[in-house]
Amino acid sequence: RVEDLIRQVKPDYLMLNGDILDFPDLSKFIQRPAYKKTPQDAIEWGRNRLRVWGQSAKHIYWIDGNHEQRWYQYIWENAPDLDFAINDLDVVLDLPNLASGYVPYGRHVDFLGFVFTHGERVGLYSPRQNLEAYHSSGVSGHTHRMKSWSKTDKHGRTHSWYEQGCLCL
């Protein structure tokens, strides 16, 4: 359904806000056997999706989430001496050619005054905490739930923070 929407709308900007790749084989969490995919499967799926989405969206921004961070954590925990020889995820995914922008985990994009970040805050008040931390309206994806918080400042301007939910691709 999402891909149909992207094809129909043909957005100028598509912001991929983290956890696009899951890397279940690299996760410390127990996975359902039917869900298991190798890192190579995940990379190939990601490259393919970027090519498909790139046929409709003019600009794609890839923002790493904590699930993409599993790529690095696995290397750092299992082969730290080879870190220098292993390509970063943006290179492996060919993001320089398939995306307009890349944002490493823990960073954000300020797009026309609206912040996109995968986020790290979790809890009942995480939308409020993000709004207070960034002093800007924005969206985060880390919690995989849909929630929002709005606040009107002393000038009568309303600022809102949204948790975007999860498509669980």
Side-chain angles (χ1 to χ4, degrees), residues 113-165:
F114 189 88
V115 172
F116 288 85
T117 184
H118 182 68
E120 297 175 348
R121 291 174 180 83
V122 177
L124 291 175
Y125 305 106
S126 50
R128 179 180 180 177
Q129 293 168 337
N130 280 312
L131 184 60
E132 291 171 354
Y134 285 97
H135 304 287
S136 175
S137 293
V139 63
S140 55
H142 182 60
T143 63
H144 295 204
R145 68 172 171 245
M146 296 178 76
K147 199 171 187 184
S148 65
W149 179 266
S150 297
K151 181 178 181 179
T152 303
D153 66 20
K154 64 183 178 181
H155 303 289
R157 295 178 299 221
T158 300
H159 305 277
S160 300
W161 195 275
Y162 304 92
E163 291 179 325
Q164 70 187 28

Side-chain angles (χ1 to χ4, degrees), residues 1-2 5 10 16 31 38 46 49 55 57 72 113 134 154:
R1 292 181 183 167
V2 171
L5 181 66
K10 296 187 184 341
L16 302 175
Q31 303 291 327
T38 68
R49 300 291 26 101
Q55 292 173 3
Y72 300 102
Y134 285 97
K154 64 183 178 181

Side-chain angles (χ1 to χ4, degrees), residues 38-50:
T38 68
Q40 183 177 355
D41 291 338
I43 295 295
E44 288 174 5
W45 180 90
R47 278 194 220 124
N48 186 34
R49 300 291 26 101
L50 285 164

Side-chain angles (χ1 to χ4, degrees), residues 18-23 26-27 62-77 88-89 102-107 118 120 142:
D19 292 354
I20 302 302
L21 304 180
D22 193 27
F23 292 121
L26 304 182
S27 175
W62 180 283
I63 302 168
D64 272 350
N66 57 302
H67 291 214
E68 285 86 10
Q69 222 22 40
R70 292 172 179 170
W71 173 265
Y72 300 102
Q73 290 168 338
Y74 183 84
I75 295 164
W76 298 335
E77 289 176 8
D88 285 341
L89 189 56
Y102 168 69
V103 180
Y105 182 60
R107 310 281 310 269
H118 182 68
E120 297 175 348
H142 182 60

Side-chain angles (χ1 to χ4, degrees), residues 1-11 14 45 49 52-53 56 166-169:
R1 292 181 183 167
V2 171
E3 289 188 354
D4 288 342
L5 181 66
I6 293 168
R7 273 192 293 276
Q8 291 171 11
V9 172
K10 296 187 184 341
L14 180 60
W45 180 90
R49 300 291 26 101
V52 169
W53 297 334
S56 299
C166 178
L167 294 176
C168 298
L169 302 171

